[in-house]
Amino acid sequence: MTKSMVVLGSTGSIGTQTLDVAEKYNMKICALTAHSNVKLMEQQVRKFRPAIAVMYDEAAATQLRTAIADTDTQVLCGMEGLIEAATMDGADVVLNSLVGMVGLEPTLAACSAHKDIALANKETLVAGGELVMNTVKEAGVALLPVDSEHSAIFQCLQACPDSKFLKKLILTASGGPFFGRTRDELQNVTVEQALAHPNWSMGAKITVDSASMMNKGLEIIEARWLFDVTADNIDVVVHRQSIIHSLIEFTDNSVLAQLGVPDMRIPIQYALTYPDRVTSPAGELDLTKVGILTFDKPDYDTFECLTACKTALSKGGTSPAIANGANEAANLLFRQGKIPFLKIGELVTGAVANVKSVPITKLSDVLEADRTAREYVWQAVQ
Ligand code: MG
């Protein structure tokens, strides 16, 4: 089991649930980082006494420094602070639950500092792909998935002794709040409606990604890198109840699934205790209460983000980083009420088609693709 841990993004949904697990099992917390939630960070610092606390926002760091002046915790800020936390001595595992591309550099730095990674920041793998996987291999560290779907596949793969027996991965998707709706019916949906996820309680960015199905597109790309399979060997099935978290199919057409109540503490904990299992604060699954499990085909025309991600993956190079960068910009514009919901898919599709994609040889290729994709979106909505 993980002995000591750094939590990047500790005040978010995954971060707070990670600290629930850490508290239950007395894991040592070496560093915590957040964007700007000073109040919650202060509580976390007082409870877990990390050596370092990072506020990404500089003004928030100044406030936190005053608030916890009576403690021994050192307060840092910005990307520099994140990297310092991600590479600090004494930590075994870095749990990365940052939101967005900002998670990429700390992941790379943590790998190079020989930390195992528990990854909840999907943008890291989507944008960095091969670069991240090569860094993981070179450093000889473990990369353990926290996302529920990838954790499910990882758990199923424990029963697959050789990758030659694996035929495909089947990712389940809840379909979000807008499953079954036509483009016409989605013309005027509001931010509040997009934020009302039927099964999972998550942060705003990922909840909107779930409504647009961009989240599943990102997860396809993430799965391609995590499990070294081709895009053609990854299927998506809409499963409204979010009880089956994903499945794998073997060459003999036998299919294995992982099930559980939709509670992120199960996959978070597995990433931290792997290969062991311990009791969980999450509830038991009562199949007789669930009753019916349903499966549907995704609607690739209406939810075009999903199609754009598949296109980006087959184009390769920086195309997935472009899809991700365009989505981060478009998702925010939608949440700010500046563009309608369907515009997100249009912008991501447009960016993948029009922004120049190049092979990735270094980090700056990814950062440049991300920047250009955001620029494309901002220009397009002028
Ligand atoms: Mg997921």
Side-chain angles (χ1 to χ4, degrees), residues 318 322 351 354-358 369 372:
T318 51
I322 291 165
N354 297 308
V355 177
K356 189 167 175 264
S357 172
V358 298
T372 323

Side-chain angles (χ1 to χ4, degrees), residues 122 147-150 206 215-216 219:
K122 58 191 69 172
D147 207 349
S148 61
E149 293 80 356
H150 304 87
I206 186 175
N215 184 51
K216 211 50 53 180
E219 288 179 1

Side-chain angles (χ1 to χ4, degrees), residues 165-182:
F165 302 137
L166 181 67
K167 189 156 107 189
K168 68 180 170 196
L169 310 180
I170 305 166
L171 294 172
T172 52
S174 71
F178 301 146
F179 172 72
R181 298 217 198 167
T182 62

Side-chain angles (χ1 to χ4, degrees), residues 116-297:
D116 288 335
I117 311 288
L119 191 66
N121 168 252
K122 58 191 69 172
E123 294 87 347
T124 283
L125 268 185
V126 169
E130 205 168 358
L131 192 67
V132 174
M133 294 316 288
N134 288 342
T135 310
V136 165
K137 272 180 217 134
E138 273 162 33
V141 297
L143 179 62
L144 297 155
V146 169
D147 207 349
S148 61
E149 293 80 356
H150 304 87
S151 175
I153 289 167
F154 180 65
Q155 292 180 57
C156 292
L157 285 172
Q158 304 306 310
C160 182
D162 192 319
S163 61
K164 73 180 181 205
F165 302 137
L166 181 67
K167 189 156 107 189
K168 68 180 170 196
L169 310 180
I170 305 166
L171 294 172
T172 52
S174 71
F178 301 146
F179 172 72
R181 298 217 198 167
T182 62
R183 289 187 71 87
D184 260 4
E185 291 164 341
L186 291 174
Q187 290 300 350
N188 300 313
V189 292
T190 62
V191 177
E192 288 69 33
Q193 289 170 314
L195 288 175
H197 197 280
N199 306 336
W200 295 98
S201 150
M202 307 177 287
K205 193 261 178 184
I206 186 175
T207 306
V208 169
D209 281 348
S210 183
S212 68
M213 291 202 73
M214 181 71 192
N215 184 51
K216 211 50 53 180
L218 296 174
E219 288 179 1
I220 293 175
I221 301 171
E222 196 184 359
R224 182 263 170 270
W225 293 112
L226 269 176
F227 305 114
D228 195 22
V229 291
T230 62
D232 295 339
N233 295 323
I234 307 170
D235 277 356
V236 173
V237 63
V238 175
H239 165 53
R240 297 294 283 158
Q241 297 78 22
S242 299
I243 295 297
I244 296 183
H245 300 302
S246 278
L247 317 88
I248 67 172
E249 186 175 323
F250 296 99
T251 43
D252 62 359
N253 293 342
S254 172
V255 176
L256 210 59
Q258 186 264 336
L259 291 74
V261 293
D263 186 320
M264 284 306 296
R265 290 173 300 183
I266 298 176
I268 289 168
Q269 181 172 303
Y270 189 65
L272 299 175
T273 63
Y274 171 80
D276 295 342
R277 289 184 186 270
V278 292
T279 58
S280 167
E284 272 179 20
L285 173 62
D286 182 344
L287 284 170
T288 62
K289 277 197 185 128
V290 177
I292 293 169
L293 300 177
T294 61
F295 305 95
D296 292 276
K297 279 192 181 141

